[in-house]
Amino acid sequence: MKKVISTTKAPAAIGPYSQAIQVGNLVYTSGQIPIDPATGNFVEGGIKEQTRQSLTNVQAILEEAGLTMGNVIKTTVFMADMADFADMNAVYAEFFAEPYPARSAVAVKTLPKGALVEIEVVAEL
């Protein structure tokens, strides 16, 4: 049975989707872009600030489910430009400790609202 996970500490869905869904012992988050939930706008700055906000949004959703970033088993990072990988990775490393989750990082043509990065995760209860 599906359980919807939702928090005001992360941006509200801007379409017909949920912030996260729990099925059994897994939580799947929707991709998080760098919207500050307090303002509804992108954070100022470049890839580092956008990565930090995207992961902060993921963290808030996981906390609503009673989880931490330590529960994450898989991440997918979508980037507008792979030239930003090193800067994204430096901030990403601030949010995870060993054993690190599995990860895919891919470049895409465009992201919602012109974001530089979007991040989704799967976490285990």
Side-chain angles (χ1 to χ4, degrees):
M1 186 165 153
K2 293 191 299 187
K3 176 183 175 186
V4 174
I5 308 296
S6 181
T7 179
T8 58
K9 294 180 181 176
I14 56 175
Y17 61 90
S18 300
Q19 288 176 330
I21 295 289
Q22 178 183 336
V23 178
N25 67 336
L26 297 177
V27 173
Y28 301 84
T29 70
S30 291
Q32 295 300 303
I33 58 176
I35 294 175
D36 180 340
T39 66
N41 298 316
F42 275 6
V43 294
E44 292 188 22
I47 189 66
K48 288 182 177 182
E49 293 80 9
Q50 288 199 15
T51 300
R52 186 169 287 106
Q53 185 63 55
S54 295
L55 287 168
T56 298
N57 293 342
V58 166
Q59 192 171 37
I61 293 167
L62 292 176
E63 286 173 0
E64 184 67 24
L67 303 174
T68 70
M69 297 300 263
N71 293 97
V72 175
I73 57 174
K74 172 71 168 83
T75 67
T76 306
V77 179
F78 303 95
M79 299 179 62
D81 186 347
M82 281 304 252
D84 289 333
F85 184 85
D87 286 338
M88 176 282 298
N89 200 49
V91 175
Y92 180 97
E94 297 171 12
F95 284 80
F96 296 100
E98 291 189 33
Y100 299 112
R103 178 177 74 184
S104 299
V106 296
V108 296
K109 185 175 179 182
T110 56
L111 288 167
K113 297 184 170 246
L116 299 176
V117 65
E118 179 175 358
I119 302 172
E120 64 183 29
V121 307
V122 178
E124 183 180 32
L125 296 171

